[in-house]
């Protein structure tokens, strides 16, 4: 699986919403939003895992810089650095 970093997420975006939006482009294995340990609120970024480089690139092309989740600014989608 290829792990993608997704940044700039509005606080109200859930893991389910992230997964369903990206699933319209490619099969998503897993979606996780990083939360603050104390408040349990979204920290505004997360990770999505997809099968294969082609699917990863399709998601990057479709969503990087897009404002698919609203909030007035584009999200950042790129290959996660290990």
């Amino acid at each position: 699986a290829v792990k993608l970093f997704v940044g700039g997420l509005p606080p109200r975006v859930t893991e389910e919403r992230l997964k369903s939006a990206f699933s319209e482009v490619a099969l998503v294995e897993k979606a996780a939003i990083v939360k603050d340990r104390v408040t349990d609120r979204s920290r505004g970024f997360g990770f999505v895992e997809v099968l294969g480089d082609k699917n990863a690139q399709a998601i990057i092309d479709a969503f990087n810089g897009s404002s698919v989740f609203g909030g007035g600014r584009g999200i950042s989608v790129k290959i996660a650095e290990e």
Side-chain angles (χ1 to χ4, degrees), residues 7-77:
L9 292 170
R12 69 187 175 281
V13 176
T14 62
E15 291 175 351
E16 294 76 27
R17 190 160 169 220
L18 180 61
K19 186 173 183 175
S20 73
F22 283 23
S23 291
E24 291 178 19
V25 174
L27 183 66
V28 174
E29 296 246 295
K30 192 171 156 186
I33 289 176
V34 177
K35 295 183 176 171
D36 184 286
R37 284 195 193 117
V38 177
T39 65
D40 200 41
R41 282 199 200 125
S42 167
R43 291 184 55 200
F45 69 93
F47 297 93
V48 171
E49 288 183 26
V50 296
L51 279 180
D53 294 336
K54 280 187 178 160
N55 286 332
Q57 193 58 53
I59 285 179
I60 291 169
D61 292 345
F63 292 104
N64 188 44
S66 83
S67 52
V68 63
F69 299 115
R73 64 171 201 229
I75 61 171
S76 167
V77 184

